[in-house]
Amino acid sequence: MNHGPDDQSPDGLDSDELALRRLLHQAVQTVEPRDGTLDHLRRAVPARRARKRQAVVGMAAAALFIGTAVPALVHVSNSAGSDVNPSVMGQASQAQGGASQGKNADGSESTAGGNSGRTPGKGKGDTKGDGKGKGPGTGTGGSAGADPSATSASSAPVCLADQLGSPTETVAAPGTGGVVYGTFRVVNISTSACTVGGTGTVSVLAQGAADATKISTARHAAGDAASGLPAPSTEVTGLQLQAGAAYEVKFAWVPSATCPTTGSTTGGSTDGGSTPSPTPTPDAGSSSGTTSTGTDSGVTTQMTTADGTADGSVIVSHTTAAGSPTVSATVSNACAGTVIYTGVLAGA
C-alpha cells in the first residue's frame, strides 16, 4: 500500500512502520540485563583490547626474529663446509688459552723432609684467570689435575680406567747439557669414544746414588730449560679419544748436578811396588823388628784412591687421571735435577 506524504510521521516513517516500531518496543519492554552485566563489559572490553595488542606485538617480534636469524643462518651455511667439526674448534680455542703456564722448578736442596725424599719446588699446580700460577712441587712427583677453568670440548663421557691401556714409554739419548727427553703414550682400548679427564700424575723415584732431596717436578712453560718440549699452546684440554686413538704426555730430565764420584783403597809400597827392605838392625826394645809404619816383612804400605762415577738413576712414572694405567721410564746417570712435563697432547 502506498501512502502519501500526509501519512508519514515527523521521523519519516509511515503508519505501518510506526505500528511495527511500537510492537517491537512492547516486545522488549520486559527484557532487562542480568546483575553484573555492566561490570563484566567493563572488564571484558579492556581485556580484549589487551589481547589484541599482545598479538600484534608478538607478530612483530616474530617477524623481527625471522628477519635477523635467516641472514645469519645463511651466512653460517655458506662459511662452514661439510668437514667442519665444532668440537675440534672448541678444543683448539681452549688449548690456546686454557693451558696453564708457570715458573720452572729451581731444583734447590730442601732442608726439611730429607728422609721422605720430598723437596719443595716451584711448579704448575694452581691456575688463575690469566692462565699463570704457582704451585708446590715435590721430589716424589707433582699432580697435574684438570684445569678448572677449562670445559670439555666434546659430549663423550670421561675416560674410565678400563677404557685406557697399552701404555708405552720412550727415552731418548742425552742431548745438550745432559737433558734427556721422553714420551708417555696411552691408548683408548675401548670400542667407544671418551674424553681425557686431565694430565694425571707425574712422579719420580730416586735409585742408587740419586739424591731424592735434589729431584723435583714442574709443569712445562714457555722459556723454561726444556726447550725441546712442544709449546704449551699445543696442549689440549677436553681431548676426545676415538676408539684406538692415543694421547701423549712428554717430559724432559734437566740435570742440575752430576752424579758423585766413588773411591776404593788399594795397598802398595812407596815406590809403586812391593820390595823387601834390608834386614833391620836388632833393637833391644823391639823383638819383632817392625816400626809403626812397617810390617813384619819390612814392606811399607801407602793408601791410594781409585776414582769413579757413582751409579744413579731416576724412574719417571705417569698415571692417568682415571687412576690407571701407570707407565714408567728410567733415566740413567741421573742424580739431581728436575723433571719437566707437558699436559695432554694429541697422539701422532
Side-chain angles (χ1 to χ4, degrees):
M1 176 184 293
N2 295 326
H3 300 278
D6 295 339
D7 295 334
Q8 294 181 347
S9 66
D11 295 334
L13 302 176
D14 56 22
S15 59
D16 293 338
E17 292 175 339
L18 289 175
L20 179 62
R21 184 177 184 181
R22 283 194 298 268
L23 291 174
L24 292 175
H25 284 174
Q26 292 175 0
V28 299
Q29 232 175 11
T30 59
V31 177
E32 294 181 357
R34 293 183 301 177
D35 295 339
T37 301
L38 182 60
D39 294 336
H40 173 72
L41 293 175
R42 289 175 179 174
R43 291 192 303 269
V45 172
R48 183 178 179 182
R49 292 174 180 173
R51 286 195 296 271
K52 288 183 177 180
R53 288 195 299 269
Q54 291 174 358
V56 173
V57 172
M59 293 175 62
L64 179 62
F65 175 76
I66 293 174
T68 56
V70 170
L73 181 60
V74 172
H75 175 72
V76 172
S77 300
N78 292 335
S79 62
S82 59
D83 296 334
V84 174
N85 188 344
S87 65
V88 175
M89 297 170 61
Q91 293 170 9
S93 63
Q94 293 171 12
Q96 179 68 25
S100 300
Q101 298 181 357
K103 296 183 178 180
N104 302 330
D106 56 7
S108 59
E109 183 176 357
S110 173
T111 57
N115 294 333
S116 62
R118 299 173 66 88
T119 178
K122 295 181 181 179
K124 293 292 299 172
D126 298 333
T127 58
K128 295 182 181 179
D130 58 357
K132 297 183 178 181
K134 299 180 180 179
T138 65
T140 57
S143 175
D147 190 345
S149 64
T151 57
S152 175
S154 75
S155 58
V158 176
C159 295
L160 302 178
D162 57 357
Q163 293 181 284
L164 301 176
S166 301
T168 57
E169 51 81 19
T170 56
V171 178
T176 305
V179 179
V180 178
Y181 292 95
T183 302
F184 298 118
R185 183 181 176 89
V186 182
V187 181
N188 177 7
I189 60 175
S190 68
T191 58
S192 59
C194 64
T195 303
V196 179
T199 303
T201 303
V202 175
S203 60
V204 293
L205 177 64
Q207 296 287 307
D211 189 350
T213 63
K214 296 182 181 180
I215 299 174
S216 60
T217 60
R219 278 295 300 270
H220 176 47
D224 60 18
S227 59
L229 292 177
S233 60
T234 61
E235 299 177 5
V236 183
T237 53
L239 175 64
Q240 179 176 337
L241 283 185
Q242 299 297 329
Y247 77 90
E248 296 177 346
V249 173
K250 295 182 179 292
F251 71 91
W253 164 256
V254 182
S256 60
T258 59
C259 289
T261 57
T262 60
S264 61
T265 59
T266 60
S269 63
T270 57
D271 58 358
S274 181
T275 304
S277 60
T279 303
T281 304
D283 187 0
S286 175
S287 60
S288 62
T290 61
T291 64
S292 59
T293 59
T295 63
D296 293 343
S297 61
V299 178
T300 303
T301 303
Q302 181 180 8
M303 307 300 290
T304 61
T305 302
D307 293 333
T309 302
D311 185 14
S313 61
V314 174
I315 298 177
V316 185
S317 300
H318 166 65
T319 303
T320 66
S324 177
T326 298
V327 58
S328 300
T330 300
V331 180
S332 302
N333 194 24
C335 293
T338 303
V339 173
I340 300 176
Y341 60 96
T342 68
V344 174
L345 302 171

